Amino acid sequence: MLQRLPLRERRDLLIAWLAISIAFTLIYIRGGVDPIGLVFYFVMSLVTVGVAFVLHELAHKFAAMRYGYWAEFKKDNQMLLVAVVMAALVGVVFAAPGATYVYGNATKAENGRISAAGPLTNLILCIPFAALMLFGGGGLIGLVGLVGLRVNAMIAAFNLLPISVLDGRKVLAWNPVVFAVLMAASAGLLFWSLF
């Protein structure tokens, strides 16, 4: 699998993973935390937000490659900086750390399936995190489960918005039923994780 990830792409994914993990850590530690808490929230962000983001982008890449297209994630330095600065100053994360670019002339159906792969991956990731939340008790494991469930549902729902360059526009153009099912599942899981 690593041979399908050029060094430049691995570097971009790693930098974006670290940057959004730092941004979310800054959200969690607002109001102060001790050094052990800082390390815990950073590791939790790496595991929850970072994994959700990386696997979402890799799902797009490998779905595109399944159709014979080359695809590669490229970080957006400006958006990475915005994510970290907004988290530090305002307490809000707007994370658009980059995108997976597909090279070739994909059909509407191929483009829709490639775009659906990312949010679908996040929905699948909700399952183990929900299990951690439900069976991990009220301690750290339960907290990691809750955060992982919420983050994956949030990433799926956000990316399914049918606007601009987001996945939702391409999924809706390909198959409105698939779009509706994915959006309902994402919104339902997000709602459940919030309450």
Side-chain angles (χ1 to χ4, degrees):
M1 180 172 119
L2 277 179
Q3 69 272 19
R4 294 181 166 188
L5 294 169
L7 187 58
R8 176 184 64 246
E9 185 177 19
R10 281 184 252 171
R11 185 204 63 219
D12 279 9
L13 281 166
L14 179 62
I15 291 169
W17 183 358
L18 291 172
I20 65 169
S21 296
I22 290 167
F24 274 86
T25 300
L26 292 171
I27 296 292
Y28 297 135
I29 65 167
R30 286 186 78 75
V33 69
D34 59 41
I36 292 172
L38 175 67
V39 170
F40 168 75
Y41 285 114
F42 180 66
V43 170
M44 183 175 70
S45 295
L46 285 171
V47 170
T48 56
V49 181
V51 168
F53 154 71
V54 169
L55 292 181
H56 176 103
E57 297 301 337
L58 289 178
H60 289 314
K61 176 185 181 75
F62 290 114
M65 293 176 80
R66 183 175 162 255
Y67 289 111
Y69 303 112
W70 179 251
E72 190 171 328
F73 174 80
K74 293 184 180 179
K75 67 180 170 53
D76 182 328
N77 290 329
Q78 191 171 15
M79 292 308 293
L80 288 171
L81 183 60
V82 166
V84 173
V85 169
M86 282 184 64
L89 299 179
V90 186
V92 174
V93 174
F94 178 76
T100 298
Y101 294 91
V102 178
Y103 299 94
N105 293 318
T107 66
K108 186 192 293 187
E110 290 169 340
N111 210 10
R113 290 183 187 109
I114 291 165
S115 296
L120 181 60
T121 297
N122 292 117
L123 290 174
I124 292 168
L125 286 170
C126 285
I127 297 167
F129 281 117
L132 286 177
M133 180 188 78
L134 293 171
F135 304 114
L140 296 179
I141 292 174
L143 177 63
V144 170
L146 173 62
V147 171
L149 171 65
R150 188 174 293 159
V151 163
N152 276 285
M154 193 181 319
I155 289 174
F158 174 77
N159 278 281
L160 282 166
L161 293 174
I163 56 173
S164 186
V165 296
L166 295 178
D167 300 329
R169 187 176 59 80
K170 294 169 250 174
V171 175
L172 180 60
W174 159 57
N175 190 321
V177 173
V178 171
F179 170 80
V181 168
L182 290 175
M183 182 55 97
S186 302
L189 286 167
L190 182 57
F191 183 79
W192 179 51
S193 75
L194 294 171
F195 300 102

